[in-house]
């Protein structure tokens, strides 16, 4: 079981830049709350993506190689991510806010009946709780959101909210899922 699941997206055989930014965001959350984290890769390039993801400081990388995920489909990705969430039971599921995520993650949210906190620009902790910061009114105002109740909480971060170069390197085991 992991506390944080980072869903990584394929971008021409490499992890999408926003996925690397999500790793940096998850690491900040994990360090602030002493949480474990893992990453999920799926699709035709699962082996390549898993190898790349395993070079970052995450507990483990879950890999799904399935012919039905070789090309993107909203329903296929939504169902796959939902099943992994049900199997692994993370408290936080972190996505980069890409076009694909904007397409399928709301379906995951609806199917699980769990909130999807979108477009965050920062994460911090306060008294043992995660606090996600969002911009409002054309970035003239910031709002902090602290999720309550039982997770999982689905979270996405705006592009460039975190630097992909700030993702800590490490070594993670890869597990077929």
């Amino acid at each position: 079981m992991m506390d944080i699941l980072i869903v990584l997206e394929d971008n021409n055989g490499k992890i999408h830049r926003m996925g690397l930014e999500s790793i940096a965001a998850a690491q900040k959350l994990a360090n602030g709350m002493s949480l474990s984290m893992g990453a999920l890769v799926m699709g035709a390039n699962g082996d390549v993506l898993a190898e790349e993801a395993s070079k970052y400081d995450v507990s483990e990388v879950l890999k799904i190689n399935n012919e039905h995920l070789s090309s993107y489909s909203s329903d296929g990705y939504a169902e796959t991510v939902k099943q992994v969430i049900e199997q692994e039971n993370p408290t936080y599921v972190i996505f980069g806010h890409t076009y694909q995520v904007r397409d399928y993650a709301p379906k995951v949210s609806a199917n699980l009946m769990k909130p999807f906190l979108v477009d965050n620009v920062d994460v911090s902790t306060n008294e043992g709780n995660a606090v996600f910061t969002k911009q409002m009114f054309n970035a003239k105002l910031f709002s902090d959101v602290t999720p309550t109740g039982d997770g999982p909480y689905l979270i996405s971060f705006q592009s460039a909210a975190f630097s992909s170069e700030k993702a800590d390197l490490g070594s993670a085991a890869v597990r077929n899922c």
Side-chain angles (χ1 to χ4, degrees), residues 9-10 20 24 56 62 92 118 121 137 139 146 149:
E9 187 177 310
D10 182 355
L20 299 177
Y56 289 91
L62 306 177
Y92 302 96
V118 300
V121 296
F137 303 111
T146 301

Side-chain angles (χ1 to χ4, degrees), residues 4-7 16-30 92-99 101-102 116-124 130-135 145 153-163:
I4 301 171
L5 175 65
I6 311 157
V7 181
H16 194 288
R17 174 187 54 83
M18 291 183 68
L20 299 177
E21 292 173 9
S22 295
I23 292 172
Q27 289 172 340
K28 182 176 180 181
L29 177 62
Y92 302 96
V93 182
I94 297 183
F95 303 88
H97 201 70
T98 64
Y99 290 115
V101 167
R102 286 181 242 184
F116 183 30
L117 305 174
V118 300
D119 246 3
N120 294 282
V121 296
D122 198 11
V123 62
S124 59
V131 179
F132 298 95
T133 302
K134 299 178 60 71
Q135 294 178 336
V145 177
Y153 309 110
L154 285 64
I155 312 292
S156 74
F157 289 94
Q158 273 188 15
S159 176
F162 290 85
S163 171

Side-chain angles (χ1 to χ4, degrees), residues 43-126:
N45 294 315
D47 291 328
V48 173
L49 297 178
E51 182 180 332
E52 183 181 356
S54 71
K55 295 176 182 171
Y56 289 91
D57 187 16
V58 298
S59 303
E60 69 177 333
V61 177
L62 306 177
K63 176 180 67 167
I64 298 176
N65 283 332
N66 184 310
E67 65 185 57
H68 299 294
L69 299 173
S70 62
S71 61
Y72 173 74
S73 85
S74 178
D75 291 336
Y77 273 50
E79 182 60 27
T80 301
V81 171
K82 179 181 95 65
Q83 287 180 18
V84 171
I85 290 170
E86 290 173 339
Q87 174 184 316
E88 299 298 322
N89 197 30
T91 302
Y92 302 96
V93 182
I94 297 183
F95 303 88
H97 201 70
T98 64
Y99 290 115
Q100 279 186 6
V101 167
R102 286 181 242 184
D103 185 38
Y104 78 84
K107 292 179 182 185
V108 177
S109 174
N111 288 336
L112 293 173
M113 301 288 291
K114 297 295 180 180
F116 183 30
L117 305 174
V118 300
D119 246 3
N120 294 282
V121 296
D122 198 11
V123 62
S124 59
T125 58
N126 183 13

